[in-house]
Every structure is written in structure tokens, then in C-alpha cells.
Amino acid sequence: MAELSAASNTTVPTIKYYLREGLLHPGVRTSATQSQYDESHVGRLRLVRAMLDVGGLSVARTAEVLSCMEDPSRSLLSMLGTTQASVTVSAADEEALGGRPGSHEVDELIRRRGWRVSARAAAREIAGDVFASYSALGNTDIAVVIDQWADAAEIAAEADMQAVLARGNRSDMVETVVVGTVLGDVLIGALRRLAQEHLANKYFPETGSPL
Amino acid sequence: MAELSAASNTTVPTIKYYLREGLLHPGVRTSATQSQYDESHVGRLRLVRAMLDVGGLSVARTAEVLSCMEDPSRSLLSMLGTTQASVTVSAADEEALGGRPGSHEVDELIRRRGWRVSARAAAREIAGDVFASYSALGNTDIAVVIDQWADAAEIAAEADMQAVLARGNRSDMVETVVVGTVLGDVLIGALRRLAQEHLANKYFPETGSPL
């Protein structure tokens, strides 16, 4: 276990905790005090850390995703959907859909793009909430940008799918969804700001006099 | 003031607080107990609420952006830059740049795209931190997706710039930067998830049997 700890950069008490909670499969016992761990344990620890530390999932939710990952009766699509939903915080999971402010605009957008998505997707609610916030500010900018933002989202999602497809097995695919979705949000936001700065320099070349 | 409160959906104590803190300009006094407010006050309140509630800026930072907005010696570019930086949280404002893990990959990306951005942009550090997190996980997916994410970011930023240019004056432009940047992050993230779901349905059609 000391070697597994060093190889995975995870403390021994943390490894014992994951073993107790069923997040990590036991090693092969070789003596009363020793067990043999292998690459599968290092890989699983990396996945568990990604779900807990990067994805911000609870231990219970992590166990749920892992068991769904290992259930051979769950299709790949349903497994990836569960994983994505786990890293998509919904403000109002329990509320009825459809009557929420902003949901009409989101429905219209989805129809316009021909996107095939579940009526209960948490991301629909989040998008509807953003529309409602824009309207509450009396702000109409969103109509100017929404279709281009959807173009951008589609390009990002296309890259995401290629990254998932490039992974060889279910556990690596789950890791790609968790890490790519959560870190991707932050990185795409940072890249958007850098691109904004670049375009601002392009559109508003400094002339010495204020515009 | 009661009318201003109703028109702006802001309570009277809150309006008085903004007046004290200099976030709102005084009305024209018409008697010992009455002042006249106009559309400029309604607009300013909307902007202040956007900076505080949507952008999550502190009162001090909001006052700073407002004073920069009203300083005729500040160019439009510098004003928009200050505003954008204010809604870009940097994990390590005080740390030296360049030696941070991940910063080399970000420098390379910026060079590849020909982006003209400041060496001190907070978004550079954030992007570098994400690269470092990916590496810490032993994850190499980022190399597969980073250029397409940058394409997506550029398309979103182009739409952002058009929305800013469509606004007529500095105060509306600042509002567009604050609201568009912060709510845009959330909305683009939600649209990315919807597009992922759509593409997953397209690439992995359910066949009844697990893949």
C-alpha cells in the first residue's frame, strides 16, 4: 500500500478510506499485513481523484457513477449521460420544467439547431435561468450572441466527443467526461477572455486619443 | 425615490446605500425631502446591480470600474480591459508569471493563434493552472482538444465584441462586458452540455445492446 500511495500520490489513510467506501477494489492479499496492488488500482485512484477533486462530486455520487460504469447492462451512451449529468449542477432538479422563465427561448434555440436532447436535461434549466437573468436586467444582448455561442458550443462539444472516442475503455471515457467537462469550462472561459482581448486590440487600435 | 425604487426594482435603503458609496449620482433636489431622478438613474442602477449581483464584484471594485468608465482620459480599450479583468478571477494575482506550470503550453497556444494579449492577463494564469491540473492527473486529452476549444473561444469572443460594439455608450458597453462575460460563461457551458448530448445521440445510436 505504501508503494500504491507513492505511485498514485494519494496518502495511505485516503486509500484506506476509498477501500472502505467501495471506491477502490481490494488488492490480492499476499500475507496477513500485505496486499498486492497493480496498475488497475493506480488508474482507479486517478479516476476517483478526478471525480472528487476536479468534478466536485460527493463520495456517494462517485460510487454511483462507478457502479454504473461497471454495470454491463448499462449502455455506453447511458453511462456517459449519467457521468455528464453528475458534473452538471442543476439549480432546480425537483422543479417542474416548461413553465420556468426563459425555457421557451431555450426550446426555440434547441429546435432551431436541430439538437436531439432530453426534455429533462439539467443544462436546459441552467440555460433557461441565464435567459431569465438577462431579461430581468432588461438586457437584450443575448439575442445578438446566442446563435454564435451555440456555434462555439458545438465546436467545443465536437472536440469533447473526439477526446472521449479516442479513449479505449469505459473508465478512461468517464475520466475524460469528468475532467474535460469541468476543467474545460474553466479553460474555455479563459481562452474566451484571451480571444476577447486579442479582438479588442484588433478592433480598437490604440490611437493615443480616447475613442 | 419611491418611484425610482419601483422603476429599478431596488429597495430604498439599497438606493441610499449606493448614493452614500458614490455608486449612484445624486438627483436634483426639489425640496428639503424630495429629489428628482431620471432615466440616467434607472440605467445606472441597472449597471450597478449587474456588476454586484451578476459579476460578483465588490462595492470597491464596482466604484473603481465606474470611475474608470467616467474618466475621459481613459481610452475605450483600456476601460473595457479594466472591466473584463474585474470579472476574471485570478488565482494568483501576486505570483510571478512565466515560471508557473502550464504557462509554457499557454504561451505556445497564444503564439500559434497569433493572439495579441498582455503578458499579465489573468486569463493566461487561469489557463496555465488548468494545463497544470490536467498534467497532474497524467491526462493528455487536452492536447487533442485545445485547438478546437480555442476555435470555439474565438467564435464566442467575436460574438461578444459585436454585442459590445452594438451598444451606443460606455456605460452600456461596460454592462455588456460584465453581463456577457459572466452569464456567458454559464450559458456557453450549458450549451456545450446540450451539444454534447446531441452529438452523443448521433455518434452512439442506442441499439438496445450495450456497446
Side-chain angles (χ1 to χ4, degrees), chain A residues 189-211:
Chain A
L191 294 175
R192 178 175 165 228
R193 283 158 179 73
L194 293 172
Q196 283 173 350
E197 185 180 334
H198 168 65
L199 293 173
N201 280 318
K202 193 170 124 185
Y203 286 133
F204 305 123
E206 289 288 75
T207 57
S209 73
L211 280 168

Side-chain angles (χ1 to χ4, degrees), chain B residues 4 9 12 14 23 30 41 44 54-55 65 80 86 122 135 145-146 159 182 185 204 209:
Chain B
L4 177 61
N9 205 16
V12 168
T14 300
L23 302 185
T30 52
H41 294 88
R44 170 56 70 96
V54 179
V65 173
L80 295 179
S86 298
S135 311
V145 295
I146 186 67
V182 176
D185 282 343
F204 304 124
S209 72

Side-chain angles (χ1 to χ4, degrees), chain A residues 46 118 158 180 192 197 203, chain B residues 118 137 158 180 192 197 203:
Chain A
R46 196 177 77 168
S118 144
E158 188 73 60
R192 178 175 165 228
E197 185 180 334
Y203 286 133
Chain B
S118 147
L137 285 164
E158 187 74 60
R192 178 175 165 231
E197 185 180 335
Y203 286 132

Side-chain angles (χ1 to χ4, degrees), chain A residues 51 55-57 61 64-66 68-69 74-90 93 115-118 120-126 153 156-158 160-161 164 170 173-182 185, chain B residues 188-201 204:
Chain A
M51 291 200 266
L57 272 63
R61 182 55 73 98
E64 206 176 296
V65 173
L66 292 173
C68 148
M69 187 179 95
R74 294 290 293 265
S75 73
L76 185 58
L77 180 61
S78 124
M79 182 199 71
L80 295 177
T82 302
T83 306
Q84 194 228 40
S86 298
V87 290
T88 303
V89 179
S90 167
D93 277 326
W115 283 352
R116 203 144 51 86
V117 291
S118 144
R120 300 209 58 80
R124 268 184 192 261
E125 293 182 53
I126 295 170
E158 188 73 60
D160 298 335
M161 290 309 303
V164 169
R170 284 179 164 227
M173 285 175 163
V174 164
E175 186 181 323
T176 296
V177 172
V178 172
V179 174
T181 300
V182 175
D185 283 343
Chain B
I188 292 168
L191 294 175
R192 178 175 165 231
R193 283 158 178 74
L194 292 172
Q196 283 173 349
E197 185 180 335
H198 168 64
L199 293 173
N201 280 318
F204 304 124

